[in-house]
Amino acid sequence: MPGGPLLSILIFLPALGALALLLLRGDDHEWIRRLALAVSLAEFILSVWWLIEGVPLGSTGYALEEIHRWIALGAHGSLTQTYINYHLGVDGISVFLVILTTFLTVVSILCSWNSIQKRVKEFFIAILLLEVGVVGVFLSLDLFLFFLFWEVMLIPMYLLIGIWGHDRRIYAAIKFILYTMAGSILMLVGILWLYNATSTFDLPLIQQALQTGALVLPRGTETLLFLAFFVAFAIKVPLFPFHTWLPDAHVEAPTAGSVMLAGVLLKMGTYGMLRFCLPLFPDASRRFAPAIAVLAIIGIIYGALVALVQPNLKKLVAYSSVSHLGFVVLGIFAFHIVSVQGAVFQMLAHGISTGGLFLLVGMLYDRRHTFEMSQFGGLATPMPRLAAFFLFVALSSLGLPMLNGFVGEFLILLGTYQVHWNWAAWAATGVILSACYLLWSYQRVFFGEITVDKNRALPDISPREQWILAAMAVVTLWMGIGSVFITRRTAAASQSVIEQMGRPPRAYDASTPANIIPTPGKTCNALPAGAEKQSPLERLGTR
């Protein structure tokens, strides 16, 4: 369904805000903060209004599509002209990820209101440009455009860690960029191979070619392409054993950087698995599923065990992300509609609950300038309101029923159990361990006697901080009791991913893949009007 320039506005409105910030004086901190907040609020309101209205309940395929010829590439194969298209679209999987991004951008700006005092203008420009890259990733339907936004996102995140981070910020920033760039190179090779085989970068056209048999991937080729994409996404998640960059990046990043990193940047990896790995390479996905499930389960248990022995509170929350994202990967590669639904929901729930934990840890750091739990203890006495919010968010992260963390993990375990009961049994131990490390850390930080004199007079949360945490708590509770609003809108897109994996098996004896538009003397328009397979999913949509 065409939607005019709505998606382009969502992508580039923060860039216009960043440009407007450049026009302000560098020492005019108050108006810099106000303008950044106004732009992010407008972006959030527009994303909720346009995307919820623009993606009808139970619809399949992509909505609000924008497609224009962008870069002419010249002749390729039997085609006289090929193009890179500016192709955007949204479906049930990406709609809430975009809304989550715009919401957490507002939260990140508000939580940095007083804590960022150096290079204030540059900081808020970096936050807005990071939003441009992430929203662009979730809305791109052209592989080249997807890769472009994927790389654009790295620059502001690198700067956020490297400039406004803590003591080891340069080490953490370089480690982050090296890991992610290594995965990006592999993905770029896969993208170029697909273009060479199909004469287009357009994702719906490539999906159509695979569905109709116009493009046949030999077994070895599909395996290599799957690995090229999967490793890039596994590093971003990060899936064990590609996780080692994450704790350093989280600990050294400023609070806003940690919120955006945990809330949305990690979801780009799991989103890529759903959008690319499963539909494009279904046979390779099935072959590697047992090994990936083992890595996901190791990540669930290993991340929880390491969090259990962490003396650093922020690093504990970072390792909890490794554990919780393992559930998402497991749900995706169980290939069951319920587990995939749970994986999509858990991506959103993790963004809110873990983002909330990083917010609270950042508020403690602003007051004590340390993350070591040995320096805390008894904080519920001087800071009762922060202690109450911390407990609420911790309970949502460990999966308490009626809160958002329960829904996603329950659906993942339920769907996985129906396919492989032993996978679900091992993964369920992560739920128990998460209760152990979260409740134990809460006890050490907030209960007991105050042993450090500096903690006796710590100020409780300010009105600004209280409004931020209240908004996060409301979203957490609403997602827990009103989860059907989300699951009804993600059901059709999740089912579509499963259906695309179910295309009939084909022979692997074709030595050269066919171009998807083989007519000689034609140009490759790559305008996929209604190209994607449509299937009625009203029953799933009203579950």
Side-chain angles (χ1 to χ4, degrees):
M1 181 182 75
L6 300 185
L7 299 186
S8 292
I9 293 174
L10 285 180
I11 292 175
F12 294 109
L13 178 60
L16 293 177
L19 182 62
L21 287 178
L22 288 174
L23 303 179
L24 296 177
R25 289 200 337 250
D27 59 351
D28 196 356
H29 295 172
E30 192 65 26
W31 276 105
I32 289 171
R33 296 184 179 105
R34 289 177 181 177
L35 180 57
L37 178 61
V39 172
S40 63
L41 275 174
E43 175 84 352
F44 171 62
I45 293 170
L46 292 177
S47 67
V48 174
W49 177 22
W50 287 344
L51 297 185
I52 297 297
E53 291 291 327
V55 182
L57 187 65
S59 64
T60 58
Y62 302 107
L64 302 177
E65 282 190 83
E66 298 177 38
I67 182 165
H68 309 283
R69 289 178 179 173
W70 182 23
I71 302 175
L73 299 177
H76 185 272
S78 61
L79 304 174
T80 59
Q81 185 64 275
T82 58
Y83 294 90
I84 295 174
N85 293 312
Y86 177 80
H87 191 183
L88 305 176
V90 63
D91 66 353
I93 294 176
S94 57
V95 58
F96 289 106
L97 290 171
V98 174
I99 294 173
L100 175 67
T101 303
T102 59
F103 174 70
L104 290 182
T105 303
V106 177
V107 170
S108 298
I109 290 174
L110 284 172
C111 76
S112 307
W113 202 265
N114 293 327
S115 59
I116 300 299
Q117 296 296 332
K118 68 172 184 178
R119 300 189 179 186
V120 176
K121 180 164 73 171
E122 292 86 346
F123 176 85
F124 289 106
I125 289 174
I127 289 286
L128 292 177
L129 292 180
L130 179 63
E131 185 178 23
V132 172
V134 177
V135 174
V137 164
F138 291 140
L139 296 181
S140 296
L141 294 182
D142 182 273
L143 294 180
F144 179 87
L145 192 62
F146 174 86
F147 183 80
L148 177 65
F149 282 119
W150 181 278
E151 295 301 293
V152 164
M153 169 276 308
L154 297 180
I155 301 171
M157 192 67 228
Y158 173 80
L159 295 176
L160 286 172
I161 299 173
I163 297 177
W164 294 276
H166 302 300
D167 295 339
R168 299 173 71 243
R169 57 186 180 272
I170 301 300
Y171 168 79
I174 293 176
K175 193 173 183 179
F176 162 76
I177 202 78
L178 288 179
Y179 267 75
T180 311
M181 287 294 292
S184 299
I185 292 171
L186 293 174
M187 182 168 60
L188 178 61
V189 172
I191 289 172
L192 294 176
W193 192 99
L194 287 174
Y195 169 74
N196 186 62
T198 62
S199 300
T200 182
F201 289 103
D202 200 88
L203 178 61
L205 275 181
I206 296 173
Q207 290 175 330
Q208 180 191 11
L210 291 167
Q211 290 291 314
T212 59
L215 173 62
V216 178
L217 297 177
R219 182 186 180 95
T221 300
E222 182 177 358
T223 298
L224 292 175
L225 288 173
F226 170 82
L227 290 175
F229 279 87
F230 175 78
V231 171
F233 299 140
I235 292 173
K236 180 64 71 176
V237 170
L239 181 67
F240 178 91
F242 306 105
H243 67 284
T244 56
W245 64 269
L246 181 67
D248 292 312
H250 269 312
V251 170
E252 301 306 323
T255 300
S258 293
V259 170
M260 293 298 290
L261 183 59
V264 290
L265 265 68
L266 306 186
K267 312 309 180 299
M268 291 165 54
T270 49
Y271 170 80
M273 294 176 186
L274 280 171
R275 180 68 76 214
F276 298 97
C277 292
L278 269 60
L280 298 183
F281 319 114
D283 296 316
S285 298
R286 292 189 187 92
R287 290 198 303 275
F288 284 95
I292 295 170
V294 169
L295 293 179
I297 293 169
I298 292 174
I300 292 171
I301 299 173
Y302 167 81
L305 289 175
V306 176
L308 195 59
V309 298
Q310 278 303 318
N312 185 298
L313 186 59
K314 197 173 188 183
K315 190 170 285 189
L316 181 149
V317 180
Y319 275 105
S320 77
S321 289
V322 176
S323 182
H324 287 123
L325 268 297
F327 278 101
V328 178
V329 176
L330 180 65
I332 292 172
F333 283 89
F335 307 133
H336 192 282
I337 178 59
V338 176
S339 67
V340 173
Q341 280 272 78
V344 175
F345 193 95
Q346 183 66 9
M347 284 193 271
L348 306 173
H350 176 268
I352 297 296
S353 59
T354 305
L357 287 174
F358 278 118
L359 273 175
L360 289 156
V361 173
M363 292 174 186
L364 288 175
Y365 182 84
D366 289 341
R367 290 158 172 79
R368 285 288 283 109
H369 300 287
T370 182
F371 296 121
E372 296 299 319
M373 284 188 280
S374 60
Q375 295 298 309
F376 300 127
L379 295 187
T381 300
M383 311 171 71
R385 288 180 294 176
L386 189 144
F389 278 114
F390 203 110
L391 179 61
F392 184 85
V393 177
L395 291 175
S396 73
S397 182
L398 63 85
L400 185 73
M402 301 292 289
L403 300 179
N404 60 358
F406 172 77
V407 179
E409 289 183 357
F410 177 78
L411 291 177
I412 290 170
L413 292 175
L414 177 63
T416 303
Y417 184 87
Q418 298 181 50
V419 181
H420 298 283
W421 68 267
N422 50 341
W423 293 1
W426 280 105
T429 60
V431 179
I432 302 170
L433 291 173
S434 68
C436 294
Y437 65 73
L438 284 169
L439 295 179
W440 174 70
S441 62
Y442 184 82
Q443 179 186 13
R444 291 187 63 190
V445 172
F446 291 98
F447 291 161
E449 297 294 329
I450 298 178
T451 57
V452 180
D453 290 336
K454 292 180 181 179
N455 296 337
R456 298 184 186 278
L458 290 180
D460 207 349
I461 53 177
S462 66
R464 173 182 56 84
E465 293 170 332
Q466 185 168 328
W467 278 109
I468 298 172
L469 295 174
M472 299 288 280
V474 168
V475 174
T476 297
L477 184 61
W478 172 78
M479 289 180 67
I481 62 178
S483 57
V484 67
F485 180 86
I486 295 174
T487 55
R488 292 177 67 191
R489 286 163 173 79
T490 60
S494 301
Q495 180 67 20
S496 179
V497 171
I498 301 298
E499 288 185 352
Q500 289 181 61
M501 292 191 65
R503 60 177 181 252
R506 305 184 184 97
Y508 287 101
D509 56 359
S511 59
T512 305
N515 284 332
I516 66 173
I517 305 177
T519 308
K522 298 289 186 180
T523 60
C524 181
N525 295 320
L527 303 177
E532 53 271 16
K533 181 180 178 182
Q534 303 291 321
S535 58
L537 292 168
E538 288 79 6
R539 179 177 63 83
L540 279 171
T542 55
R543 234 180 202 179

